Amino acid sequence: MAQKPSIPKGTRDFTPAEMARRNYIFDTIRTVFKLHGFQQIETPAMENLSTLMGKYGEEGDKLLFKILNSGDFLRGADPQLIQSAIAGDDSAKLAAKICEKGLRYDLTVPFARFVVMHRNDLSFPFKRFQIQPVWRADRPQKGRYREFYQCDADVIGSDSLINEIELLQLIDDVFSRLGIRITIKLNNRKVLAGIAELVGAPDKIVDITVAIDKIDKIGLDNVKAELGERGLSAEAIDRITPLITLSGSNAERLASLEEMLASSETGLKGVSELREVMAGTEALGLCADLELDVSLARGLNYYTGTIIEVKARDVEIGSITGGGRYDNLTGVFGLPGVSGVGISFGADRIYDVLNTLNLYPEGIEGAAKVMFTNFGPKEAARSLQIIKKLRESGIPAELYPDAAKMKKQMGRADSLGIPFVAIIGETELQNGTVTLKNMTTGEQSEISTEKLTEALG
Amino acid sequence: MAQKPSIPKGTRDFTPAEMARRNYIFDTIRTVFKLHGFQQIETPAMENLSTLMGKYGEEGDKLLFKILNSGDFLRGADPQLIQSAIAGDDSAKLAAKICEKGLRYDLTVPFARFVVMHRNDLSFPFKRFQIQPVWRADRPQKGRYREFYQCDADVIGSDSLINEIELLQLIDDVFSRLGIRITIKLNNRKVLAGIAELVGAPDKIVDITVAIDKIDKIGLDNVKAELGERGLSAEAIDRITPLITLSGSNAERLASLEEMLASSETGLKGVSELREVMAGTEALGLCADLELDVSLARGLNYYTGTIIEVKARDVEIGSITGGGRYDNLTGVFGLPGVSGVGISFGADRIYDVLNTLNLYPEGIEGAAKVMFTNFGPKEAARSLQIIKKLRESGIPAELYPDAAKMKKQMGRADSLGIPFVAIIGETELQNGTVTLKNMTTGEQSEISTEKLTEALG
């Protein structure tokens, strides 16, 4: 019995047309990474679970795809643990016994592991990029997949803010090339720490940023009410009111922030870092809008300085790129005190944005530039000779492999978007020529084979 | 406590230097695939186990990496099956219950599944290429990994032998570009079937090919003795003696084969196919040696016509590329009668060959072309302006992010193989110049910033 084939939910096949579009994105990002001096690495899809577990929080641990040990994986396992698992309890504990390996969940933890394992062979600061898939056992939904690509660039081993300035240039360069208008939002973890000091409630920082983020939608009074509901004292709310209503240019916002955080050494350090990054960036010029946004609170668990987020201006979609500075990424693997800063491009969302705005350039499809029709053995043999020469000149060319009906052959060129069809029939064979048909205009003309390379070049 | 990190056995990290070499191989193969009109697809790393199981033989099923179901994977499982598994029996049966998905084992079965699922959107003949990793739970050893890349090109939906001729051209093109001298060995499954008919022992075909392969090492008498030991009758051995001693040019070998297989319709069809493929190939010309080899018996389970194998002439290593024609790849997924032919490049072995022969071109390392030293904020700011322009001209450039000791900064350029260092100190800042140092020759000169792009171009 034949099976009706399917693929696991949350995963995707990519057809040639989709690959062409995806490669356009990856190639653009890769080109810019290289122009900025980043060097590529790759790590295995499988990591030891001891490397992955505990790095993404409890929820993250659950989302790891685990690989069953080979052979007799259950031999000698603890009977009680098995009884629990049959009852649906403590499944994770048994899983940890019968699975040693898991699929990588992101590129950051494998990168940290890589740096520690290869530290003696690396030149620091180490600027690496990595473009590989990651896997998460998330509930699949629109725009969220169980296998997706991340495109990361990190500088590790330097705490200079020049790295931040350079990464903002890199982001700007990528999206300029892709033709996507963006706003880069900037914040600093130390500013958020200063705010927490100000209100005397470090555990409320997420509540505060969530509330601030709503100012445009619900207005000041409602934001204040919400902060009260979330447990902030009236005094604390008063203290951060200037933060909620922060407005004006980036320079004005920085000045307000500085005044407000005057009593917090950490907070002021954050303001000073933001100022330096913004000044350096503005001196170099940027196509993107650059916006100080104190409600930006991504990666609070690991970012320690700059926080970066990129939004597309012309499409309603979540952040399409994000990043920040971390001071102790490799500490957990035994290499403390190494500061780094990195960004991650979300290829799937960028793909959605480009599709929505229809921003792909022409001619990325990647099929052959010319297809030769096939009238039979003699004509095919002659065609293959010419095709060989075309390929040597860098022109992608192919022969229809069967002497099928002409309509079928032309149909192939048409459906693949092959722009030219070359016809060698009896006449052309005798004349030493080829009839070249432009599939866009429909024009065709008989030319000498010597002229063909030129006509297709 | 910090963990000492490691990676799963049989897997590898790739450093920037290794990535540069690997990308050189992949880029070369990809370029040639495209020149020949093949279009790229990608399939998910995970497939449903129902897609994978039973496609690679019993041994292959054992080598599949299986992914544990999420959540309470053991809830409600058959207690007896569990008892067996604890005792180390029937583990595979329990594995099948608690794992729905597995990692792909090759690119061929996912391709067949892809073709069946997308058949209505594809234009046949469909020429696809695919470059992705595969995973096998094999015992790791030198040159054998648990994660490795395959680079496959297949034409499906055409039984024309032009496809074989074209694929041989493609192989020749790839290895010419890489500078590897090769021998392409050719056989045909139908010739092997004819030989089996001749000796009346279809199950002995592998024994026969293995014995024939030893003729140069052990001589005719010993080959005959071995065939006898393997259960061939004296009469059968007499009949295939011409096969064992087959020699001369390909044309002479074909003539001998034809004579020997005169009584087998299938065998003669195989000879005729070989003759057509070889004639077509010789008419186009080939850098590689092309050799008819009747002992070539790869892929007997699925190949039905042409069989191809490529050996490096200057390195002792197994086959570095292989392929052949199959008549029913997609039948198991409900699409019978689709003929195809394909080849697979073994990237890891090609990597070993290039390393052994030291055939990599210069300048593939992929670090920046120029590194700017950093003397402090003013100099750095000026450098960033210039670097921005260089990148716009397509020149990979970077700034050392910290104002570190000059020895340390120069050390970075040296260890990364960055060919030029640009120095902007107080003097250069005043003069509007930059001092450019050639790291290979040691020469340095002060030039205007306008001249820099040209000097580095």
Side-chain angles (χ1 to χ4, degrees), chain A residues 403-429:
Chain A
K405 283 188 183 150
M406 206 36 49
K407 197 181 162 191
K408 194 174 172 200
Q409 296 194 36
M410 297 304 275
R412 172 182 174 79
D414 209 39
S415 76
L416 293 184
I418 296 175
F420 291 95
V421 166
I423 300 159
I424 296 189
E426 215 172 316
T427 318
E428 288 87 357
L429 209 53

Side-chain angles (χ1 to χ4, degrees), chain B residues 191-205:
Chain B
V191 166
L192 294 174
I195 295 170
E197 275 181 39
L198 202 68
V199 297
D203 58 315
K204 288 286 186 294
I205 193 69

Side-chain angles (χ1 to χ4, degrees), chain A residues 54-259:
Chain A
K55 309 300 190 299
Y56 307 105
E58 217 172 296
E59 197 51 36
D61 282 351
K62 281 188 200 152
L63 300 184
L64 293 172
F65 279 111
K66 299 177 183 71
I67 295 173
L68 189 67
N69 294 342
S70 296
D72 296 323
F73 57 92
L74 209 62
R75 188 198 287 267
D78 177 358
Q80 247 182 323
L81 206 52
I82 293 172
Q83 283 313 314
S84 301
I86 294 175
D89 286 333
D90 276 344
S91 298
K93 263 193 200 154
L94 182 61
K97 294 281 179 203
I98 63 178
C99 299
E100 274 172 14
K101 296 180 284 287
L103 295 180
R104 72 175 157 249
Y105 180 89
D106 70 2
L107 302 180
T108 308
V109 168
F111 172 55
R113 184 212 29 86
F114 179 98
V115 167
V116 174
M117 280 179 69
H118 299 270
R119 59 185 148 185
N120 295 326
D121 306 319
L122 299 176
S123 171
F124 292 98
F126 178 46
K127 296 166 71 173
R128 89 85 168 77
F129 80 86
Q130 191 168 357
I131 301 179
Q132 289 191 280
V134 302
W135 295 269
R136 296 181 186 178
D138 237 327
R139 194 182 303 273
Q141 50 179 265
K142 194 182 174 307
R144 191 196 284 167
Y145 305 100
R146 291 186 152 188
E147 173 180 63
F148 58 97
Y149 270 77
Q150 292 193 331
C151 311
D152 285 19
D154 288 78
V155 188
I156 195 161
S158 162
D159 55 11
S160 164
L161 293 174
I162 286 178
N163 297 301
E164 271 88 339
I165 295 167
E166 281 273 76
L167 283 176
L168 294 177
Q169 288 290 317
L170 189 156
I171 291 170
D172 199 45
D173 198 352
V174 166
F175 289 107
S176 297
R177 284 166 190 251
L178 294 175
I180 298 176
R181 304 194 319 146
I182 56 163
T183 299
I184 303 178
K185 298 187 170 199
L186 219 55
N187 198 6
N188 191 299
R189 181 70 174 88
K190 298 187 180 92
V191 166
L192 294 174
I195 295 168
E197 275 181 39
L198 202 68
V199 298
D203 58 317
K204 288 285 185 291
I205 194 68
V206 170
D207 290 326
I208 295 172
T209 57
V210 168
I212 294 176
D213 195 34
K214 294 184 183 165
I215 179 73
D216 289 339
K217 282 191 199 138
I218 63 176
L220 181 59
D221 289 346
N222 287 319
V223 169
K224 282 182 166 182
E226 188 172 321
L227 285 170
E229 281 161 27
R230 286 172 185 257
L232 252 69
S233 69
E235 195 198 343
I237 295 174
D238 273 352
R239 278 202 197 150
I240 60 166
T241 297
L243 199 71
I244 308 172
T245 55
L246 204 62
S247 66
S249 69
N250 288 328
E252 286 162 354
R253 290 177 189 212
L254 282 170
S256 307
L257 262 186
E258 190 162 34
E259 200 184 312

Side-chain angles (χ1 to χ4, degrees), chain A residues 271-287:
Chain A
V271 173
S272 142
E273 287 184 7
L274 277 170
R275 186 169 276 138
E276 187 174 336
V277 171
M278 292 187 131
T281 301
E282 276 154 19
L284 286 169
L286 213 58
C287 301

